[in-house]
Amino acid sequence: MAPDLFRTAPDRPLIAPSILSADFAALGEECAHIIEKGGADLLHVDVMDGHFVPNLTMGPALVRSLRGRLPRVFLDVHVMVTDPIQYVDPFADAGANHITFHIEPAMDRRAGTGMSPVSHGYDVREVAAAIRARGMTAGLAINPPTPVESILPVAGEFDLILVMSVNPGFSGQAFIPESLKKPEWVRAAVGDRVRVQMDGGIGPANAQAVRTAGCDVLVAASAVFGVPRAERAGVISRLRGG
Ligand code: DX5
Ligand code: ZN
């Protein structure tokens, strides 16, 4: 395992298959194959609570099973939930290496209060501290309609900023091209100290644009798991840029 995977700038883009499009009936084999034969750098685990996003997916029990099956794999948990802090300990206990949570629920709770996104509702710094206290790295995610200005003041305090390029909830959605502007703003604010991840609608056809925008971690679900296993290593390689 490489618990520090997101702490230093990688010398080549990291490719993070989202297991959301894997065959759940064969999940252990799917994950082992994409890491051991496909050449993926880590696994991206999409957790949805049916409140923040209109879907239900997976939770700590599944992370625990993956950790048992693949003791060394880096598990990047993307929580699309309204109350991330309550899931920090369960995912840490299950063996997660990293948790990314969203800025939007923190902003919703401060609406009308005149308070900043770091001082009301859930304090994003507090959640990041709780994640790090459990030995994991911490990421902050931003949805397509949310202005990039909402994260810039705190971006440098995270290990990773996740710029969503679809509205989260389902894999297989079309990439939103306007999303490509945000990584440039984030990079300008944080330099190379922070990983910039993009997630949603990414495939071989647009991966270069995503990398050129400054992203160094690319998530892909349907582009990877939507092709036969024999073709997945080729997709990973094209996502990375050869
Ligand atoms: C958003 C999730 C993504 C998504 C990616 O709903 O966070 O990880 O499922 O799926 P693709 O790559 O198929 O757009
Ligand atoms: Zn995701």
Side-chain angles (χ1 to χ4, degrees):
M1 200 189 333
D4 292 336
L5 189 64
F6 288 157
R7 284 199 211 273
T8 50
D11 47 21
R12 61 180 192 167
L14 299 173
I15 305 304
S18 160
I19 63 173
L20 193 53
S21 288
D23 176 359
F24 285 7
L27 195 56
E29 288 164 43
E30 291 274 83
C31 292
H33 179 271
I34 207 65
I35 293 293
E36 292 161 7
K37 305 270 194 265
D41 298 288
L42 65 146
L43 294 175
H44 182 85
V45 179
D46 283 311
V47 175
M48 305 187 187
D49 69 349
H51 287 274
F52 179 56
V53 288
N55 199 2
L56 295 164
T57 56
M58 47 194 93
L62 187 138
V63 167
R64 186 180 295 280
S65 291
L66 288 180
R67 174 56 67 224
R69 176 72 176 78
L70 294 166
R72 297 174 59 80
V73 74
F74 187 93
L75 295 173
D76 160 23
V77 178
H78 174 195
V79 294
M80 288 156 273
V81 305
T82 51
D83 191 10
I85 200 143
Q86 69 171 303
Y87 297 106
V88 172
D89 283 335
F91 279 113
D93 292 342
N97 298 105
H98 172 93
I99 295 179
T100 293
F101 61 97
H102 276 256
I103 182 87
E104 289 83 10
M107 295 172 68
D108 289 348
R109 291 190 207 181
R110 68 161 178 146
T113 66
M115 300 177 85
S116 85
V118 294
S119 64
H120 188 68
Y122 61 76
D123 177 331
V124 298
R125 289 185 173 119
E126 215 171 86
V127 180
I131 292 169
R132 288 185 171 134
R134 293 300 314 268
M136 300 178 286
T137 46
L140 187 62
I142 179 171
N143 278 341
T146 307
V148 71
E149 289 77 11
S150 64
I151 57 163
L152 292 181
V154 293
E157 298 173 42
F158 284 80
D159 301 289
L160 176 147
I161 297 296
L162 167 51
V163 177
M164 291 303 303
S165 40
V166 298
N167 288 301
F170 301 91
S171 57
Q173 301 183 77
F175 185 82
I176 298 173
E178 292 74 22
S179 315
L180 288 170
K181 295 173 194 152
K182 280 181 185 162
E184 296 178 13
W185 285 97
V186 174
R187 275 278 171 241
V190 303
D192 284 343
R193 286 179 298 121
V194 174
R195 305 288 67 71
V196 181
Q197 182 179 54
M198 188 161 269
D199 181 5
I202 298 176
N206 58 15
Q208 185 176 347
V210 173
R211 296 191 307 268
T212 302
C215 299
D216 49 17
V217 190
L218 278 64
V219 176
S222 50
V224 171
F225 289 107
V227 301
R229 280 192 196 168
E231 295 171 26
R232 292 178 188 168
V235 171
I236 301 273
S237 167
R238 291 203 293 285
L239 290 171
R240 194 179 276 127

